[in-house]
Amino acid sequence: MKTIREAAEEFGVTTRAIRYYEELGMLKPERTASNTRMFSNAEIAKLKLIDRGKKYGFTLEEIKEMVLLFDVDRSGKKQLERTIEYGKKQIEEMERRIEELEKTKQEMESLLGEFNEKLSKLKGMGK
């Protein structure tokens, strides 16, 4: 069992972020008699999924769905199917962004080439 502070430190997030995930229904920590949140291994695993989902650009709604699917289907099959579906969609989006960046890079390289040529001509005129 870990406290909210320990969980936050482990994942490099704020305690406020963890409380927000709890508000969204993604986490359900146990409470001590003094109302301290305590996170079991299962809740830490959910927090790890949330952290990983954010890292890979999934929306909080997508992450929530994937996290909560395990509570519905303990075999993990539905969760894996949905994760694969969202993962493929995310890869398609990454590929689209990579293409855009490659195009922008080529345009910038072309412009820099033109600017260097122009600068060389201007330097030649100044001599």
Side-chain angles (χ1 to χ4, degrees), residues 26-75:
M26 299 166 81
L27 298 171
K28 295 179 184 104
E30 296 175 25
R31 300 283 184 141
T32 66
S34 63
N35 209 28
T36 301
R37 290 171 176 85
M38 295 302 292
F39 293 84
S40 64
N41 287 341
E43 294 304 303
I44 294 296
K46 287 180 182 180
L47 193 51
K48 186 174 187 173
L49 287 173
I50 294 167
D51 184 58
R52 191 176 291 162
K54 286 177 47 186
K55 175 183 175 187
Y56 293 121
F58 294 111
T59 67
L60 277 179
E61 268 310 305
E62 291 168 335
I63 295 168
K64 180 180 179 180
E65 183 179 359
M66 290 183 283
V67 166
L68 296 181
L69 273 174
F70 189 74
D71 292 338
V72 175
D73 172 22
R74 287 290 181 180
S75 73

Side-chain angles (χ1 to χ4, degrees), residues 92-106:
E92 289 172 7
E93 177 61 22
M94 287 177 191
E95 287 173 346
R96 185 189 65 72
R97 289 194 317 243
I98 288 169
E99 286 176 23
E100 286 178 8
L101 287 170
E102 283 293 333
K103 183 179 177 187
T104 302
K105 178 184 171 200
Q106 289 170 1

Side-chain angles (χ1 to χ4, degrees), residues 12-27:
V13 296
T14 64
T15 55
R16 176 68 195 120
I18 293 176
R19 286 192 295 274
Y20 181 64
Y21 302 146
E22 183 182 359
E23 287 172 25
L24 293 177
M26 299 166 81
L27 298 171

